[in-house]
Amino acid sequence: VINAEYMADVAVADVVAQLEELIQRDEGARGIKPLIIAGELLKSARDIVTAEVVLILTGFPCRIDCTPPTETDGLHGAVAIARAVKSLGHEAIVVIDECNAEPMRATIQASETPDIPLEVFPPGATWTDVEQNRVDSLLRRAQHVVAIERAGPAADGHYYTMRGRDMTHLVAPIDKLMPDLTISPCSVRSTGIGDGGNEAGTGRVVDLVRKHIPNGEKIACVVAAHNTIMCSVSNWGGYALACAIAAVAMHQNLAPKTVETFSRFCSSAAEQVAITDAMVTAGARDGPTGAASAMVDGMPLSTSIDILKNLHQIVEQSLVLTETY
């Protein structure tokens, strides 16, 4: 006889697998399919629901010749994850570098969770013991670190755009907040979300990035995470993780199993429009094109909102159809 608890576990795993599949279709044609590790979204969500303090690292200054050099991807997703963590009653802290701070600050202020704390670090060349002490202090508090569309170092220690341009002079090495996976047991868990392989937390697939991604030999990030979520657009990974956190929390009876609860955990389309307008006004640009408009990874914001709505629909339908076990 298959018991009810087992059936409920299977049901939530199926829902999260559907979320994961939706964000990994490679609409941007970057060649991420060989980099995908199945099941990482569920693992990450299960880790995060138990974490009292979650650090969320983001910021990718790939528009090197612009001020600020910030791209739009990553900022939406960071706020989406923070919202889900806060809905658990836990603490979320966003961490970013100085060059990306103003668009991130504007994004948070325009969101429905404007009280998200923001920690800002200067470029690595200016770091002293003060910055390292701040890193150590944050790590003492954290139980989970999420890096979403966060610049990550290659084998030579430099930080590169997808085209192989060096942006090290702009970057704060906040990947130092990622736990060392060689230490066991590790009290801090981690998740990396990326769409190209040059992001912090994608180091588990570094050899595949070198093999399958243009400029991979040069740009591949070597910093790994316990959970690696490769996706078409990093923001979409953030949306999916927020949805998965909600689904797992409801499954574990950490939150009521209702559509209203799910809406509290997850960002709305209206919020996404508002925060996009705010970040672009603050200087963020589309990464591939440099357009100062409502675009993410070369696609109009409407594409991301369609993905967001489809992700929501997957979870909402499961809430309507799932029996109470």
Side-chain angles (χ1 to χ4, degrees):
V1 178
I2 299 175
N3 65 34
E5 184 177 354
Y6 172 79
M7 290 298 293
D9 285 344
V10 170
V12 75
D14 179 64
V15 168
V16 177
Q18 291 179 59
L19 299 174
E20 192 170 57
E21 189 280 329
L22 179 59
I23 63 168
Q24 294 180 331
R25 296 176 181 174
D26 200 14
E27 284 87 343
R30 287 191 172 178
I32 66 163
K33 288 287 187 180
L35 315 183
I36 293 170
I37 307 172
E40 297 289 281
L41 184 63
L42 180 60
K43 286 172 52 187
S44 179
R46 284 176 170 164
D47 283 349
I48 290 172
V49 297
T50 66
E52 292 288 338
V53 180
V54 178
L55 306 182
I56 303 168
L57 321 183
T58 194
F60 211 99
C62 63
R63 302 308 309 178
I64 296 172
D65 301 321
C66 301
T67 304
T70 315
E71 73 159 312
T72 50
D73 193 22
L75 309 190
H76 307 77
V79 168
I81 297 165
R83 175 180 178 142
V85 170
K86 286 171 62 65
S87 294
L88 290 165
H90 300 171
E91 185 177 2
I93 303 168
V94 174
V95 188
I96 203 163
D97 21 33
E98 283 179 353
C99 66
N100 297 309
E102 286 311 308
M104 185 75 253
R105 190 171 286 115
T107 300
I108 291 172
Q109 290 173 351
S111 76
E112 295 170 9
T113 48
D115 58 340
I116 299 168
L118 181 64
E119 292 281 346
V120 179
F121 283 83
T126 68
W127 274 38
T128 66
D129 289 345
V130 172
E131 284 72 36
Q132 188 58 52
N133 288 339
R134 288 177 62 201
V135 165
D136 294 342
S137 177
L138 285 168
L139 273 177
R140 282 193 294 270
R141 297 183 59 205
Q143 281 92 54
H144 200 101
V145 181
V146 179
I148 175 168
E149 192 64 14
R150 173 60 210 165
D156 64 1
H158 287 233
Y159 299 78
Y160 295 102
T161 71
M162 288 298 293
R163 295 184 174 94
R165 296 188 68 189
D166 194 331
M167 53 186 178
T168 308
H169 61 291
L170 296 168
V171 174
I174 55 175
D175 48 272
K176 293 177 182 289
L177 287 161
M178 300 291 285
D180 185 348
L181 269 58
T182 64
I183 297 175
S184 182
C186 185
S187 61
V188 182
R189 299 284 293 176
S190 58
T191 296
I193 302 175
D195 55 28
N198 57 347
E199 303 93 354
T202 62
R204 278 174 63 206
V205 293
V206 62
D207 291 336
L208 295 171
V209 173
R210 290 169 176 158
K211 181 177 179 180
H212 296 285
I213 301 297
N215 300 314
E217 285 285 350
K218 181 177 184 179
I219 71 172
C221 176
V222 295
V223 174
H226 295 97
N227 311 305
T228 305
I229 303 169
M230 300 303 302
C231 42
S232 305
V233 175
S234 292
N235 276 340
W236 301 358
Y239 299 158
L241 183 54
C243 291
I245 291 168
V248 170
M250 290 186 285
H251 168 62
Q252 295 184 2
N253 295 315
L254 301 174
K257 295 182 178 72
T258 65
V259 172
E260 290 74 18
T261 298
F262 178 67
S263 297
R264 175 165 54 85
F265 271 77
C266 295
S267 182
S268 65
E271 181 181 40
Q272 292 303 301
V273 171
I275 65 177
T276 303
D277 288 345
M279 72 175 71
V280 171
T281 299
R285 295 172 178 269
D286 178 50
T289 69
S293 60
M295 296 179 67
V296 181
D297 272 1
M299 292 174 264
L301 181 65
S302 58
T303 303
S304 290
I305 288 176
D306 286 344
I307 292 291
L308 179 68
K309 289 178 177 177
N310 289 338
L311 290 166
H312 285 195
Q313 187 176 35
I314 289 168
V315 180
E316 288 168 355
Q317 285 181 343
S318 76
L319 290 173
V320 171
L321 297 175
T322 300
E323 297 176 10
T324 302
Y325 291 105

